[in-house]
Amino acid sequence: MGKRRGERELLRSLTKKQKKHLREFGEEHPFYDKLLLLHSCFPFQSENSDKSSAESDSETEVEQVSVYHKLLATLKTSPESESEEDESESEDGESETEMDSEGSQETGEADGGEEDKNDVPELEEDSLDRLFLQLSLETEETAEQTPGQEQADGADTSCDPSHGLIEEFTDVKHESEFSLETNFMEEESGDCNADQRDGNSSQAFSEDPFKQHMDKELEEKEVEKMSTLPKSSSQSKWPRLGQLTFSSTLEKHKTLKADREVDVKQLYLHKPLESTWPKVNKQFLSSVNKPSEPSFTPLQRELFCIMNTYRDLFYPERNALTNGEEIRHAYCLHALNHVLKANAQVLSNNAKRRDQKPGTDSDDYRDQGLTRPKVLMIVPFRECALRIVHIFISLLEVNDKRKIDVSNKKRFKGEFGSDPEEKPPNLKRPEDYEAVFAGNIDDHFRIGVAILQKSMRLYAPFYSSDIIIASPLGMRTVIGAEGEKKRDFDFLSSIEILIIDQADIYLMQNWEHVLHLMKHINRLPLDSHGVDFSRVRMLNLNNWSKYYRQTLLFSALQDPQINSIFNKHCFNYVGQVAVRNVPLSGSISHVVVQLPHVFRRLEAENVTSVIETRFQFFIDKVLPEYRDAIMSHTLIYVPSYFDYVRLRNYFKKEELNFTHICEYTKKAGVCRARRFFLKGEKQFLLFTERFHFYKRYTIKGIRNLIFYELPTYSHFYSEICNMMKATDSGVDATWTCTVLYSKYDAQKLAAVVGIDRTAQMLQSKKNVHLFVTGEN
């Protein structure tokens, strides 16, 4: 009681003006509200925060401080002239219940990715008093800070990491700085003014790819053509990308040609990017580059030429070791260039509308979508999002003296960065594994980014964001499913650029999340979200957004599921470009052990019957040959987890001597299975592809190898075969390798044996025997 009495004495020392300000407004700067911080900090951006961002800025401000205002409302039991002691006594009986009821309303995502409404601990009465005292004492300090200091400090001290709680960025006082509706072009820097002057030229408008693409008004006949008629395609060969397939419904026999020399000024980049891009991309340039193209590598030049025409692009030769970062820089430049141009157009029209006479027709200023997010970037891990944001910052900083303000930067580094000490020591893994799984590999995240007026706002609510960076799982949890009360996908209604990077990794995660996302993108929103319909483009009002959306798809391989995304979910009226190079030599040439390979063909009537046909073929014709004890140490490689479960159940039913390892097997179970298989105590080992993808363990003791289906990654074929050399006793003559395939596995087969052998194997219905000497 003595401590509480002392705290009340300090509260009495406040002036009446300070007490009135606390009662009416809470505090000088709501961004520093420590009490609100404790009740709304969460490890991930919550669904509640995403959904609440649909409200207007004014509504958001009221909601964000409502907890604090309700706490202060307990002080209003007497007039202002009454003593502080009476107010404190009335507060004691109500503060706990008030905070309990408000604390239970906050929602967030736990570390495991699931929502938990009861995640916030309750505050005791003593701690509540101390917090309120701390708030009261800090009011004067906060009021004395300059706006620049407040922005910088607030961005780095949004949450105390020791509490393990994170708060969404809610700088209400500076909300107007990031609002498109309340800003004007002339308020920006001189560079943007130069943009506006240059933009007054009708010729510049007509030649700018952004203006050409977004200002094109489709007719209903053209939309009907794209929905019903097949696409016409043409072939072309470029120096670096190789064989390209151009397809379009509206533009027939129009093939894009590769520009051998690219001038940055001809690309119509936003002014700051012209000077920053050569510096940012300098790390990938070599002395081989010609003086005429000092800012792009040959690969980036050809990729960006396609991106800049706003055609859809599918590039299936992304490699994390070689060209992964080059490609990331190229699409980041394109995405940022699009956002800056779109925002500059809105700000310029804001000034024109402000200066126009009342009653003038404002239909000429349609420059927005139904919601603000324009670019959606799907990446597999947090490390990828971290690198993307760093590229954005580098591209926006013209020089060392002109640093941009990045809000919540410390929190972002804490959540998306990685601790070097977390990496397991002394583990030998292939180079491609180290490149893919570098940094923070958490696959459940989403973050909104708003870019405006030399500032970048991280953790912006989705409806106030220009760019959304997320993983498929992060998007699935916020989109939800039918029947769920809390689900939101309206922010996807006006996406103009969709970037799906490293699509092959999603095959190892959960491809259903990608399909679920594609079903909910560019759909009419269920709510207006405060949009000014006089500024919305007609293409959005007509629900034609999907015909204007550009999709950039990057993968390390060609796969039927990835191809289906590009062929069935992309409707760009400009057309599509797909890289279709065929592998001349397959990964079988990298097998270093002398091993006979038997490719056994199974006949299936259609694609849907392949799964059943393969299972019957395996248990009827392949498995009986390996039941003999002499065929021990047999590893069965199973790419699909569903096939693995089916085989495991069959082996248990038949009481075969086997063990199994999958991606869900615990470490102790993996060690036990590997030991049993090595010693020969278990004849068969069922082994999933996803386990190999995530762990890359060397399995010793393999003498017989069965590929139930061709691996998704072609280099996995040689890796698994080369595990045989790890066998200590090793009798070369007894090693065997059997592969099951059908005509529907043509792409995977070509990646393993090469295009020439694939053509021969698909024409012949007989089993094919290949012998690799280790020199191929």
Side-chain angles (χ1 to χ4, degrees):
M1 293 300 294
K3 182 181 295 186
R4 183 180 300 176
R5 186 176 296 108
E7 293 172 351
R8 291 173 181 170
E9 290 293 335
L10 288 175
L11 286 174
R12 294 192 189 98
S13 64
L14 297 177
T15 63
K16 290 186 178 180
K17 185 177 180 180
Q18 289 175 325
K19 295 174 186 176
K20 181 180 179 181
H21 183 77
L22 283 172
R23 285 195 298 269
E24 293 182 355
F25 302 105
E27 59 176 319
E28 184 74 14
H29 302 287
F31 188 78
Y32 292 91
D33 192 336
K34 300 296 190 303
L35 188 58
L36 180 61
L37 179 66
L38 289 177
H39 282 266
S40 59
C41 289
F42 296 100
F44 300 113
Q45 184 163 338
S46 67
E47 292 186 30
N48 184 50
S49 63
D50 294 340
K51 196 167 184 178
S52 65
S53 60
E55 301 177 0
S56 64
D57 295 338
S58 60
E59 292 173 341
T60 306
E61 179 176 353
V62 175
E63 179 182 348
Q64 289 162 351
V65 297
S66 60
V67 177
Y68 191 71
H69 281 172
K70 288 186 177 182
L71 171 64
L72 294 175
T74 61
L75 299 176
K76 297 183 179 181
T77 56
S78 59
E80 180 181 345
S81 58
E82 291 186 15
S83 66
E84 185 68 22
E85 183 175 359
D86 294 336
E87 294 178 343
S88 300
E89 289 176 356
S90 63
E91 177 192 4
D92 291 340
E94 299 176 9
S95 58
E96 276 192 299
T97 56
E98 190 72 30
M99 291 306 302
D100 289 344
S101 61
E102 287 299 317
S104 62
Q105 295 177 7
E106 300 291 338
T107 59
E109 295 175 7
D111 291 335
E114 298 179 356
E115 293 183 302
D116 187 0
K117 295 184 179 180
N118 300 321
D119 192 39
V120 183
E122 296 182 356
L123 295 177
E124 295 182 358
E125 186 176 4
D126 291 341
S127 62
L128 183 62
D129 287 340
R130 288 194 296 271
L131 282 171
F132 183 79
L133 173 63
Q134 185 180 6
L135 282 170
S136 304
L137 295 177
E138 288 181 355
T139 302
E140 290 185 345
E141 295 180 11
T142 345
E144 293 174 358
Q145 291 186 353
T146 63
Q149 290 175 337
E150 178 183 344
Q151 177 79 7
D153 296 342
D156 292 338
T157 60
S158 60
C159 185
D160 186 359
S162 62
H163 290 84
L165 300 171
I166 307 296
E167 180 197 21
E168 182 188 3
F169 179 75
T170 53
D171 188 358
V172 179
K173 183 172 182 178
H174 297 87
E175 179 74 21
S176 60
E177 294 183 8
F178 298 96
S179 174
L180 287 178
E181 292 77 10
T182 58
N183 280 273
F184 304 95
M185 178 65 76
E186 63 265 27
E187 294 180 7
E188 290 196 332
S189 64
D191 290 339
C192 293
N193 287 328
D195 269 352
Q196 186 182 10
R197 290 192 298 271
D198 295 340
N200 291 331
S201 169
S202 59
Q203 182 179 2
F205 274 160
S206 63
E207 295 179 359
D208 189 347
F210 168 80
K211 296 292 294 182
Q212 289 180 350
H213 183 68
M214 301 306 299
D215 290 349
K216 166 76 173 179
E217 294 186 5
L218 293 176
E219 299 179 358
E220 292 187 8
K221 294 181 180 180
E222 294 176 320
V223 174
E224 186 177 352
K225 280 184 179 180
M226 289 186 287
S227 304
T228 56
L229 298 180
K231 298 177 182 178
S232 60
S233 60
S234 59
Q235 306 291 328
S236 179
K237 190 170 184 178
W238 285 21
R240 179 62 180 83
L241 293 179
Q243 194 70 29
L244 302 183
T245 300
F246 296 83
S247 58
S248 175
T249 303
L250 301 181
E251 299 183 9
K252 295 184 179 180
H253 308 292
K254 185 177 180 181
T255 303
L256 186 66
K257 295 183 180 180
D259 295 330
R260 297 185 178 276
E261 296 182 1
V262 175
D263 185 3
V264 177
K265 294 182 179 180
Q266 297 177 353
L267 297 176
Y268 296 92
L269 296 178
H270 200 68
K271 281 293 181 182
L273 301 181
E274 289 185 5
S275 58
T276 57
W277 170 250
K279 300 176 184 178
V280 173
N281 201 50
K282 187 177 181 180
Q283 55 181 315
F284 303 109
L285 303 177
S286 62
S287 58
V288 182
N289 280 35
K290 300 178 183 179
S292 58
E293 48 184 49
S295 55
F296 288 89
T297 65
L299 175 63
Q300 288 176 331
R301 183 184 71 248
E302 297 185 7
L303 286 176
F304 194 81
C305 283
I306 299 174
M307 294 179 194
N308 208 33
T309 61
Y310 282 87
R311 287 176 169 86
D312 293 340
L313 172 63
F314 176 34
Y315 183 71
E317 298 178 7
R318 186 194 190 280
N319 190 303
L321 278 173
T322 56
N323 58 18
E325 289 304 312
E326 283 184 62
I327 295 172
R328 180 178 284 125
H329 277 69
Y331 70 66
C332 283
L333 173 65
H334 177 60
L336 192 59
N337 186 45
H338 178 84
V339 169
L340 292 176
K341 286 182 179 180
N343 287 353
Q345 184 183 33
V346 173
L347 299 180
S348 176
N349 288 340
N350 287 348
K352 294 176 182 178
R353 288 192 60 179
R354 180 189 59 180
D355 298 336
Q356 74 179 5
K357 297 179 180 179
T360 307
D361 185 15
S362 61
D363 198 52
D364 296 335
Y365 303 120
R366 295 191 176 274
D367 49 17
Q368 302 178 18
L370 291 167
T371 52
R372 179 170 171 177
K374 308 169 187 65
V375 178
L376 175 62
M377 309 177 81
I378 302 298
V379 290
F381 305 119
R382 285 178 179 259
E383 174 68 18
C384 305
L386 178 71
R387 296 184 184 186
I388 288 173
V389 171
H390 285 169
I391 294 173
F392 286 161
I393 296 174
S394 301
L395 288 173
L396 291 173
E397 291 183 344
V398 179
N399 50 52
D400 295 337
K401 296 181 180 179
R402 297 178 60 181
K403 297 285 186 180
I404 65 168
D405 294 328
V406 183
S407 62
N408 249 16
K409 192 173 183 179
K410 182 177 180 181
R411 170 190 168 185
F412 177 73
K413 289 182 178 180
E415 289 186 21
F416 286 78
S418 60
D419 187 358
E421 298 180 357
E422 294 179 357
K423 185 178 179 180
N426 301 326
L427 289 180
K428 295 182 180 180
R429 296 289 184 268
E431 292 182 352
D432 66 294
Y433 178 91
E434 298 290 348
V436 170
F437 292 99
N440 190 335
I441 59 172
D442 177 40
D443 63 350
H444 188 185
F445 63 91
R446 53 183 179 265
I447 180 173
V449 181
I451 300 171
L452 196 66
Q453 297 188 352
K454 308 305 178 186
S455 301
M456 178 182 292
R457 181 186 187 189
L458 301 177
Y459 295 96
F462 281 177
Y463 291 93
S464 300
S465 302
D466 296 303
I467 301 174
I468 296 174
I469 309 173
S471 64
L473 177 60
M475 293 306 299
R476 178 61 184 264
T477 53
V478 70
I479 292 174
E482 290 189 22
E484 295 183 4
K485 293 183 179 179
K486 290 188 176 181
R487 58 182 311 218
D488 188 12
F489 49 86
D490 285 357
F491 56 87
L492 299 174
S493 62
S494 301
I495 294 296
E496 298 164 359
I497 296 180
L498 170 64
I499 300 174
I500 303 178
D501 195 13
Q502 297 177 271
D504 52 288
I505 296 182
Y506 310 138
L507 297 173
M508 300 292 111
Q509 293 177 346
N510 193 331
W511 189 251
E512 290 295 326
H513 296 337
V514 180
L515 297 177
H516 194 71
L517 168 65
M518 300 306 296
K519 293 177 182 178
H520 290 82
I521 196 170
N522 292 126
R523 292 170 56 172
L524 285 176
L526 303 177
D527 192 7
S528 63
H529 302 285
V531 67
D532 181 0
F533 286 98
S534 66
R535 300 289 295 274
V536 178
R537 298 187 183 95
M538 293 306 299
L539 68 95
N540 299 101
L541 296 177
N542 292 333
N543 196 23
W544 291 348
S545 300
K546 65 179 181 180
Y547 299 112
Y548 288 79
R549 186 191 75 231
Q550 180 187 31
T551 303
L552 306 178
L553 186 59
F554 303 99
S555 171
L557 51 89
Q558 295 197 38
D559 186 88
Q561 297 182 83
I562 300 177
N563 291 337
S564 68
I565 291 291
F566 195 68
N567 296 330
K568 296 181 179 180
H569 295 275
C570 298
F571 310 94
N572 196 338
Y573 78 87
V574 186
Q576 299 175 318
V577 181
V579 179
R580 300 295 187 189
N581 296 320
V582 293
L584 300 178
S585 62
S587 63
I588 195 172
S589 60
H590 299 138
V591 177
V592 298
V593 297
Q594 296 183 2
L595 180 67
H597 302 258
V598 179
F599 289 81
R600 306 188 65 169
R601 177 168 175 168
L602 52 96
E603 298 296 334
E605 296 179 358
N606 49 57
V607 178
T608 57
S609 63
V610 170
I611 297 176
E612 184 64 30
T613 303
R614 180 180 285 109
F615 178 74
Q616 291 299 329
F617 185 87
F618 176 78
I619 63 176
D620 293 339
K621 298 183 178 181
V622 178
L623 188 58
E625 300 175 3
Y626 289 84
R627 283 183 179 240
D628 197 323
I630 198 174
M631 302 297 289
S632 61
H633 296 273
T634 299
L635 183 141
I636 304 175
Y637 182 90
V638 189
S640 171
Y641 179 77
F642 301 104
D643 290 333
Y644 160 80
V645 172
R646 190 175 188 179
L647 289 175
R648 184 192 63 191
N649 295 340
Y650 177 82
F651 276 41
K652 288 182 178 179
K653 180 181 178 181
E654 294 295 319
E655 297 182 350
L656 296 177
N657 184 21
F658 82 104
T659 185
H660 51 88
I661 298 176
C662 72
E663 57 271 25
Y664 302 111
T665 307
K666 295 182 179 180
K667 189 174 182 179
V670 173
C671 296
R672 189 163 51 249
R674 293 174 67 188
R675 184 175 67 254
F676 289 161
F677 183 72
L678 175 62
K679 293 182 178 180
E681 298 178 14
K682 299 293 183 181
Q683 183 178 354
F684 296 98
L685 172 61
L686 292 179
F687 188 80
T688 64
E689 181 176 67
R690 291 171 71 182
F691 175 82
H692 183 66
F693 174 79
Y694 284 107
K695 300 298 182 182
R696 300 289 184 92
Y697 286 176
T698 299
I699 306 299
K700 296 182 179 180
I702 304 174
R703 296 180 186 174
N704 304 289
L705 184 59
I706 300 176
F707 284 93
Y708 186 78
E709 184 182 356
L710 284 162
T712 303
Y713 290 90
S714 59
H715 64 277
F716 282 3
Y717 185 88
S718 56
E719 285 185 11
I720 298 297
C721 291
N722 290 333
M723 287 182 184
M724 291 184 172
K725 67 181 181 180
T727 304
D728 297 333
S729 57
V731 182
D732 295 3
T734 62
W735 286 348
T736 65
C737 178
T738 302
V739 184
L740 307 186
Y741 76 98
S742 70
K743 63 180 180 180
Y744 301 106
D745 298 323
Q747 287 182 334
K748 294 180 179 180
L749 189 62
V752 171
V753 301
I755 187 62
D756 295 333
R757 285 174 175 169
T758 300
Q760 298 174 2
M761 294 168 66
L762 293 179
Q763 291 176 0
S764 174
K765 295 186 178 181
K766 297 180 181 180
N767 295 335
V768 178
H769 297 259
L770 300 177
F771 187 79
V772 179
T773 63
E775 301 175 356
N776 294 359

